Amino acid sequence: MVSTLYSLYFSCSYSHPLSLQSRRLSVPLSFKTPTVPLSFKNTHRFIKSAISDQYHEKDERNEISGTLGEKENQGTMPKHVAIILDGNRRWAKKNGFTISEGHEAGCRKAWEMTMDFFSVGINTVSLFAFSTENWRRPEDEVNYLMDILEIFFKIGIHHAPRQKIKVSVIGNRENIPMSLRDVILEVEEATKSYEGKHLIMALDYSGRFDILQACKSLAEKAKTGLIQVEDIDEKLMEKELMTKCSEFPNPDLLIRTSGEQRISNFFLWQSAYTELYFPTVQWPEFGKAEYLEALTWYQQRQRRFGRRI
């Protein structure tokens, strides 16, 4: 079943998810009959194809980067963009696809948009890939999401080092499959030394849990005498949060697609002064025009941080 994700990822490139309706991919989207055997040889071929696609899109990204550069006088670019990837299932239902096909389209879009954000100089991109609350979904859907995430990180092992992208995963890893944990550790180890481009994947992540585990860690350190209670401040707290892996732990811009206007237990501490942007498009529909609009909107904001301007 999971081999079909390779088919979606590494068949012909498309600029807009709705093009799935207008023209067929080179490999059929089928979940009953895998069209490509899940082998190292095929995996290597598909990854090589994906890297080639990235190079073909380089000129287009440079053009968009120049467009944004012309508008930099209106405001600064965000250093950290966080995204809640919402609307895969609704997009699939609206366009006559299965839920699995919706998640596949969303997964491909996640990689494409991450590359686009890096191309305009953004340092950190955080993706809310799977929340703790998502375990409540049907078991077959959860299992498929775990399969998709495992393949996403297997792709990352090959592709991220070529692009010098540091990959980090935050969240509770106790409940995810062992095979997924292993590939996460592998990609994190392979990319830990890179700087300038940082992809953070939030997997089984809860903002409340993040704050709770940080408080417990500080309480334990105070109990054992490593710190004094009087020493606890925001800086110490932030050193215990899961985003301590980032040079820029607090997002400047948080995007949630599909029109829902809430952050759903994502980065509760970190988003205290984050600009919140809620486009109405579903995540698989979020393309270059939408991300350009989001960045332009951010540049026009006046970030006061409590000060009078």
Side-chain angles (χ1 to χ4, degrees):
M1 179 176 66
V2 297
S3 62
T4 56
L5 179 60
Y6 287 102
S7 307
L8 178 63
Y9 248 80
F10 302 121
S11 56
C12 56
S13 176
Y14 57 95
S15 58
H16 193 285
L18 293 180
S19 62
L20 283 168
Q21 290 180 308
S22 59
R23 66 182 178 88
R24 285 295 160 189
L25 300 176
S26 59
V27 181
L29 287 170
S30 170
F31 299 97
K32 296 180 180 179
T33 307
T35 57
V36 182
L38 194 59
S39 66
F40 177 80
K41 182 177 180 181
N42 282 321
T43 302
H44 178 77
R45 175 167 56 86
F46 290 140
I47 290 170
K48 184 176 180 181
S49 173
I51 293 169
S52 176
D53 287 346
Q54 293 293 333
Y55 288 130
H56 287 314
E57 294 174 358
K58 183 177 180 180
D59 291 339
E60 186 176 358
R61 290 198 176 100
N62 286 341
E63 181 180 347
I64 292 174
S65 177
T67 302
L68 284 169
E70 294 170 359
K71 299 182 180 181
E72 284 186 14
N73 292 331
Q74 299 178 13
T76 59
M77 292 288 287
K79 295 180 175 66
H80 181 172
V81 174
I83 309 174
I84 299 176
L85 319 175
D86 194 16
N88 291 339
R89 296 195 297 178
R90 276 168 282 181
W91 173 84
K93 183 177 180 180
K94 181 178 71 173
N95 292 285
F97 298 113
T98 66
I99 291 175
S100 298
E101 288 170 331
H103 288 312
E104 288 184 352
C107 191
R108 174 171 181 133
K109 180 60 65 175
W111 189 259
E112 290 177 353
M113 286 297 100
T114 298
M115 296 301 102
D116 284 334
F117 279 118
F118 285 150
S119 73
V120 296
I122 290 167
N123 178 282
T124 303
V125 176
S126 294
L127 304 179
F128 200 8
F130 189 88
S131 71
T132 299
E133 291 77 14
N134 286 153
W135 290 112
R136 301 171 185 170
R137 293 187 176 186
E139 184 178 358
D140 58 344
E141 182 180 355
V142 169
N143 290 339
Y144 195 76
L145 284 168
M146 293 297 109
D147 290 337
I148 287 177
L149 287 166
E150 185 172 338
I151 293 174
F152 184 93
F153 288 114
K154 285 180 178 178
I155 293 165
I157 291 171
H158 294 264
H159 190 51
R162 291 174 180 261
Q163 299 290 330
K164 298 191 181 303
I165 299 169
K166 179 180 179 180
V167 179
S168 301
V169 178
I170 60 174
N172 183 3
R173 302 188 188 186
E174 293 183 2
N175 296 320
I176 64 176
M178 181 64 70
S179 58
L180 178 53
R181 273 183 268 175
D182 289 343
V183 73
I184 287 172
L185 289 173
E186 188 176 353
V187 71
E188 285 181 325
E189 180 65 25
T191 64
K192 65 181 181 181
S193 63
Y194 298 133
E195 299 178 352
K197 291 184 285 188
H198 191 184
L199 172 61
I200 300 175
M201 296 285 288
L203 175 57
D204 194 1
Y205 178 84
S206 157
R208 291 178 176 177
F209 176 80
D210 196 1
I211 294 172
L212 182 61
Q213 64 84 28
C215 291
K216 287 182 177 180
S217 178
L218 289 172
E220 184 64 27
K221 289 180 179 180
K223 179 180 178 181
T224 57
L226 292 175
I227 61 173
Q228 299 298 314
V229 173
E230 295 77 14
D231 298 331
I232 299 175
D233 57 12
E234 289 188 13
K235 289 184 178 180
L236 273 183
M237 181 71 172
E238 289 184 350
K239 290 180 180 179
E240 299 296 334
L241 294 170
M242 295 179 183
T243 42
K244 63 188 176 184
C245 63
S246 175
E247 181 183 0
F248 304 103
N250 302 321
D252 303 295
L253 172 64
L254 187 150
I255 299 169
R256 177 173 185 157
T257 52
S258 84
E260 300 292 346
Q261 298 187 12
R262 55 181 179 270
I263 60 175
S264 297
N265 204 9
F266 184 45
F267 284 170
L268 298 183
W269 174 284
Q270 296 89 337
S271 296
Y273 286 101
T274 299
E275 300 293 333
L276 307 178
Y277 184 72
F278 301 111
T280 57
V281 298
Q282 311 298 339
W283 172 243
E285 296 174 324
F286 191 86
K288 292 178 174 62
E290 285 76 21
Y291 100 85
L292 179 60
E293 183 178 350
L295 294 179
T296 302
W297 175 88
Y298 172 84
Q299 289 181 320
Q300 295 169 348
R301 299 291 296 168
Q302 290 186 338
R303 308 196 72 202
R304 297 181 177 87
F305 298 99
R307 302 186 301 267
R308 174 182 288 183
I309 299 179

